[in-house]
Amino acid sequence: MLPPSLPIGLVRQAVQDNFGLEGEWTRLDGERDQNFRLHARTGSFVVKLCNPFEGPGLAAAQLMALEHIAAVDAALPVPRVVRTVLGAPLALLPHGGLIYPLMLLSWLPGEVMGDRDMPAQHYHALGGLVGRLTRSLRGFAHAAFPDRQLPWNTAAFLPAAEDVARLPPGIRGRIADIQSDFDAAVRPRLPEFPSQVIHGDVHPYNTLLDSSGSICGIIDFGDMVHGPRILDLANTLADCLLPAQDWAKVIRHVVSGYVKETPLEEGEVDLVLHLMRARLALTALITARRRSEGAAVTPQIGALDAASLDILKMLDDARPASEIRFAANFGAQRSTPSSLLMDRRLAAMGPKPLLFYDEPLHFVKGDGVWLTALDGRRYLDCYNNVPHVGHANTHVAEAVARQMRVLNTNTRYLTDESVAYAERLKATLHPSLDTVIFVNSGSEANDVAWRMANVFTGKRGALCMDFAYHGVTMATDMLSPSNYPPGKWQAPFVREMEAPDVYRTPLACADGEEGEAFADMVGAQIASLDEAGHGASIAIIDSAFMTNGIPDVPKGYVQGIARRVRKAGGLFIADEVQSGFGRMGTHMWGHQHHGVVPDFVTIGKPAGNGYPLGAIITRAEILERFVGETGPFFSTFGGGNAACAAGIAVLDVMEQENLLANSLSTGMLLREGLRGLMAKHPLIGDVRGSGLATGVELVKHSSTREPAAGETRRVINLIKSCGILVGSDGKLGNVLKIRPPLVFGPEHARMVVGALDNVLTQLS
């Protein structure tokens, strides 16, 4: 949109007729309006002949906003409206069949800040001025602003392909990354935070300095929009940075000055860096478009454009999110850079850190399916099953906080929460599972269940899957071969069952008989326990077979194992820590997915969405035998009020948000998309799973099925760089484990498929 170019004589006459002023005229730059400085006998003024295609309503709204500011904060150094001789805020100039809005504003003395660096106190003053501007406009509304379509509105960032194509080839990929980041981390969240009419364009060429170099004014309100209030701060930060500058000084003092006047929500602060990147990308895109169309590029825009790509690179290298958070008063001390934190961790927690990824991630916040790192980047969490209904779930957090403020004791007293939660759990299970024993974790639940089984059966031996994981206590460690390097696991009371992996070990048998054939293989292990004098007290299975690489288990296998161990005088434990609470989509519990009724159900991690909570659900006769021979059982924190409040809240969220159905449908969509990649990428040998438990087996080639463990490690690190977190499992180390919180939706599934496609393309 080109600015008007009416003859200056026509404009002078209109100003004289409507405002009664004449004097010396000087042309000023303008992107969309025709601007002049008028030096009259009574003072200096800015004459703005507004673009007729934006209409008089927008110009009138701008003047009303300025008058609102004058009424709310009379000392704020912004232009003042000069009304016509008839008292109207605006005049209209007809010419050539168009109507040109004509406004007169007071002239603010000073020199534009431009490309000069300033002392810290001046950046603090600038932030304070922008914060005052935000505060002064928060009570103002006008119908012209919400519908305004403005290319510079960062909240609507969506680069057109033709605009990106005008940029140098090396920059286009970076713009695509910024857009992807914006779509994932910013656009869905902006509606959560306060919106209002904002200036929209506080940059160094709209900022005035007095003769001492101090900030003395903000001008040019022509880009006002209704949008998230945080945009004014983000735009100011992005535009005030200079290449090779002390960026930390600028960010720290602008942000601290701003929040002194307008405190921000933590979520807004976490969006600032993303919005800064989008603002800089817009500068490059819009300027390139204007040049290609032959439109005028003002010197101010040209100067901002010249630095925009350098500033983008600087932000990528510097990663200033921690400075932004600290300056906005989130964190008692400035966040320590990750490398220093690693040094502290090694010194405080030992020299063998168990961390994901070649370059460890330092997270500072979680929200639903997202984790936010120290640098402000958000990662889609496709791995963590502990925050079952989403990181930082508000309903769960408030339930725990509310209970902690009232009462948090143990089950040696009568308390409502433990009874209510036990009843809720029992209602989801077979009626024979009528007794709930509370503990603190899945490890403790499995440990105690094995103890109870030993008393009930008079045996002490156990069967677990090869490469299983069931906990970290002395007893459950013996049930967890995956805790050890190859050849190091020793458990004299335990025998391993070979995983029923039909992909790697197909059995030659009739359709529908594979499950029984695999289950028959356990006979040798049971016999071995009997021969050693241990007997088979338990067989324990994670119903999702998570550490075994999430194989598609043939129908009847789990039933066959339970039947065989019971025939040998033992009991069956369904470890539901990873497979329960709707993880497998078809049923609430993994054992129900396999059509078996266990003797014990054990739960942990996801039960409280991260609050320590575990339980054993069994038959009353088993508990009675146990306490009759060993004495009363009691776990101090098991079943505490706050823990049970968390457990009840998790069940509430699952019901209210229909997460069981979401697990089934989204999981199916995810695997359908992943299977669609198999023809393109022979590295994918198999895609399997149920609900939101998905395994992707990577092989050297689909024809050989040779495990691709090294490539799996590379994929995990490469997809992390795309903002996606997945894990790996299986004793061959070649299965991608995708196990997100149950609030993971179809849009997230599509992101994973797209990211994996890109990563595998890179590898090939």
Side-chain angles (χ1 to χ4, degrees):
M1 184 184 296
L2 296 175
S5 57
L6 271 60
I8 188 171
L10 184 64
V11 181
R12 293 173 80 162
Q13 187 61 52
V15 169
Q16 184 175 353
D17 292 345
N18 287 279
F19 296 93
L21 293 172
E22 54 183 335
E24 298 178 11
W25 287 68
T26 306
R27 293 184 183 273
L28 302 174
D29 294 318
E31 182 186 7
R32 292 187 310 279
D33 302 330
Q34 188 175 3
N35 301 320
F36 303 90
R37 177 181 180 179
L38 170 60
H39 185 66
R41 182 171 51 82
T42 55
S44 290
F45 305 90
V46 175
V47 177
K48 294 182 72 68
L49 191 69
C50 301
N51 201 296
F53 298 105
E54 291 192 312
L58 188 62
Q62 181 186 152
L63 296 177
M64 290 177 65
L66 286 169
E67 291 189 330
H68 177 86
I69 293 171
V72 172
D73 188 348
L76 194 61
V78 299
R80 295 291 183 254
V81 178
V82 179
R83 289 182 168 254
T84 69
V85 292
L86 297 178
L90 188 70
L92 300 176
L93 174 56
H95 181 74
L98 298 173
I99 303 295
Y100 293 82
L102 180 65
M103 66 174 70
L104 201 68
L105 302 172
S106 63
W107 175 268
L108 294 188
E111 184 178 0
V112 296
M113 174 180 158
D115 61 354
R116 70 190 82 185
D117 196 7
M118 301 191 302
Q121 66 268 26
H122 293 347
Y123 285 114
H124 186 84
L126 173 60
L129 204 57
V130 178
R132 284 175 63 190
L133 186 56
T134 300
R135 193 179 69 222
S136 69
L137 282 168
R138 66 186 175 190
F140 176 74
H142 194 284
F145 291 124
D147 297 328
R148 188 179 190 189
Q149 302 298 313
L150 191 68
W152 291 100
N153 184 1
T154 318
F157 180 73
L158 189 64
E162 57 269 25
D163 288 341
V164 176
R166 296 186 183 102
L167 297 177
I171 303 303
R172 296 170 194 165
R174 184 68 189 100
I175 299 299
D177 289 343
I178 293 170
Q179 180 182 350
S180 176
D181 172 72
F182 192 93
D183 290 342
V186 181
R187 200 184 312 280
R189 301 195 65 207
L190 284 178
E192 300 175 27
F193 302 113
S195 289
Q196 61 175 73
V197 174
I198 59 172
H199 182 284
D201 201 29
V202 181
H203 59 62
Y205 298 92
N206 285 337
T207 303
L208 301 179
L209 307 180
D210 62 19
S211 57
S212 69
S214 299
I215 303 292
C216 67
I218 294 175
I219 59 174
D220 193 356
F221 283 67
D223 282 347
M224 297 180 78
V225 293
H226 188 283
R229 66 178 180 183
I230 194 64
L231 291 188
D232 265 345
L233 174 60
N235 291 349
T236 303
L237 287 170
D239 291 344
C240 285
L241 290 171
L242 299 168
Q245 185 186 39
D246 181 356
W247 59 265
K249 174 189 73 174
V250 178
I251 288 175
R252 190 181 313 140
H253 292 285
V254 171
V255 173
S256 62
Y258 182 95
V259 299
K260 184 177 179 182
E261 302 293 340
T262 300
L264 296 170
E265 297 180 26
E266 186 174 8
E268 292 179 283
V269 174
D270 289 335
L271 297 183
V272 168
L273 182 57
H274 303 283
L275 292 168
M276 290 171 65
R277 291 190 177 111
R279 170 72 170 190
L280 292 162
L282 272 180
T283 299
L285 290 162
I286 292 173
T287 308
R289 181 201 306 162
R290 292 180 67 84
R291 286 178 175 141
S292 72
E293 295 172 347
V297 175
T298 64
Q300 296 90 334
I301 293 176
L304 293 172
D305 174 62
S308 60
L309 299 179
D310 289 335
I311 301 302
L312 264 178
K313 184 178 186 309
M314 185 183 77
L315 291 178
D316 290 343
D317 295 340
R319 301 188 172 190
S322 59
E323 285 288 351
I324 296 171
R325 285 181 59 85
F326 174 74
N329 300 320
F330 289 102
Q333 59 182 28
R334 191 167 305 123
S335 300
T336 309
S338 297
S339 59
L340 297 180
L341 186 61
M342 174 61 85
D343 293 340
R344 289 171 54 201
R345 171 166 171 152
L346 294 174
M349 298 170 63
K352 297 288 185 181
L354 181 61
L355 294 168
F356 294 120
Y357 310 113
D358 294 342
E359 182 182 348
L361 286 168
H362 179 177
F363 287 124
V364 295
K365 187 179 180 183
D367 178 19
V369 294
W370 297 98
L371 287 168
T372 302
L374 180 69
D375 64 358
R377 185 175 187 186
R378 296 219 300 173
Y379 291 81
L380 180 63
D381 184 4
C382 305
Y383 179 79
N384 287 288
N385 68 318
V386 178
H388 194 68
V389 294
H391 290 281
N393 182 278
T394 303
H395 183 68
V396 179
E398 289 181 352
V400 172
R402 184 169 55 248
Q403 187 61 51
M404 290 288 284
R405 287 192 295 266
V406 176
L407 175 68
N408 191 32
T409 184
N410 58 62
T411 56
R412 285 190 153 181
Y413 303 99
L414 287 175
T415 58
D416 294 324
E417 290 73 28
S418 59
V419 175
Y421 185 48
E423 291 171 341
R424 292 281 294 272
L425 286 175
K426 286 174 54 178
T428 67
L429 293 160
H430 190 273
S432 64
L433 296 164
D434 55 10
T435 302
V436 179
I437 302 102
F438 287 116
V439 289
N440 305 293
S441 67
S443 292
E444 189 180 355
N446 287 329
D447 186 309
V448 174
W450 191 5
R451 286 176 57 199
M452 295 174 77
N454 289 351
V455 170
F456 192 79
T457 65
K459 306 173 186 294
R460 61 176 181 170
L463 299 166
C464 70
M465 302 308 304
D466 61 335
F467 207 67
Y469 174 78
H470 294 289
V472 295
T473 68
M474 182 173 288
T476 57
D477 182 68
M478 288 194 291
L479 301 173
S480 304
S482 64
N483 286 349
Y484 291 85
K488 296 293 185 180
W489 177 72
Q490 294 183 2
F493 303 142
V494 183
R495 302 292 184 269
E496 292 179 280
M497 301 177 284
E498 182 179 345
D501 188 344
V502 296
Y503 175 72
R504 293 212 158 268
T505 315
L507 299 181
C509 52
D511 287 346
E513 295 182 4
E514 274 186 317
E516 278 295 309
F518 271 109
D520 268 340
M521 297 168 64
V522 79
Q525 283 78 16
I526 292 176
S528 174
L529 287 173
D530 286 339
E531 290 169 5
H534 306 312
S537 171
I538 61 164
I540 183 169
I541 289 178
D542 156 27
S543 302
F545 294 79
M546 200 74 72
T547 54
N548 299 109
I550 319 176
D552 280 333
V553 176
K555 185 177 180 180
Y557 172 76
V558 178
Q559 292 177 339
I561 295 296
R563 187 167 61 252
R564 284 162 175 79
V565 74
R566 285 167 176 157
K567 184 177 180 181
L571 301 175
F572 178 66
I573 301 175
D575 181 342
E576 296 285 359
V577 173
Q578 297 195 73
S579 61
F581 293 98
R583 169 66 56 188
M584 301 184 73
T586 56
H587 298 80
M588 179 69 170
W589 303 103
H591 65 267
Q592 294 167 340
H593 174 83
H594 295 291
V596 66
V597 178
D599 301 291
F600 299 92
V601 172
T602 55
I603 64 173
K605 298 169 183 171
N609 212 54
Y611 195 98
L613 173 62
I616 307 116
I617 306 99
T618 187
R619 300 193 300 274
E621 60 176 325
I622 294 175
L623 176 62
E624 288 172 4
R625 177 85 60 84
F626 178 62
V627 298
E629 295 193 17
T630 66
F633 174 80
F634 172 68
S635 176
T636 301
F637 294 107
N641 308 77
C644 290
I648 292 169
V650 167
L651 296 178
D652 288 343
V653 174
M654 286 193 64
E655 292 178 4
Q656 293 160 6
E657 300 185 13
N658 203 16
L659 294 186
L660 178 60
N662 178 70
S663 176
L664 181 63
S665 60
T666 302
M668 292 174 64
L669 177 68
L670 173 63
R671 285 183 292 280
E672 180 183 354
L674 293 170
R675 291 184 182 116
L677 301 179
M678 295 178 73
K680 181 178 179 182
H681 301 293
L683 193 65
I684 301 178
D686 193 27
V687 176
R688 66 273 183 131
S690 181
L692 285 174
T694 296
V696 181
E697 181 149 358
L698 302 185
V699 294
K700 299 288 188 181
H701 197 279
S702 55
S703 61
T704 67
R705 300 190 180 183
E706 179 185 355
E711 290 85 346
T712 301
R713 180 73 183 180
R714 291 183 63 196
V715 167
I716 288 171
N717 282 282
L718 284 170
I719 205 168
K720 182 204 78 170
S721 68
C722 300
I724 308 286
L725 305 181
V726 301
S728 66
D729 230 320
K731 63 182 177 181
L732 301 175
N734 69 318
V735 179
L736 298 177
K737 179 166 62 176
I738 303 175
R739 184 193 56 184
L742 256 63
V743 290
F744 185 87
E747 68 278 18
H748 307 126
R750 288 187 283 269
M751 290 175 64
V752 173
V753 174
L756 184 59
D757 186 15
N758 291 337
V759 165
L760 295 181
T761 300
Q762 291 180 51
L763 282 180
S764 64

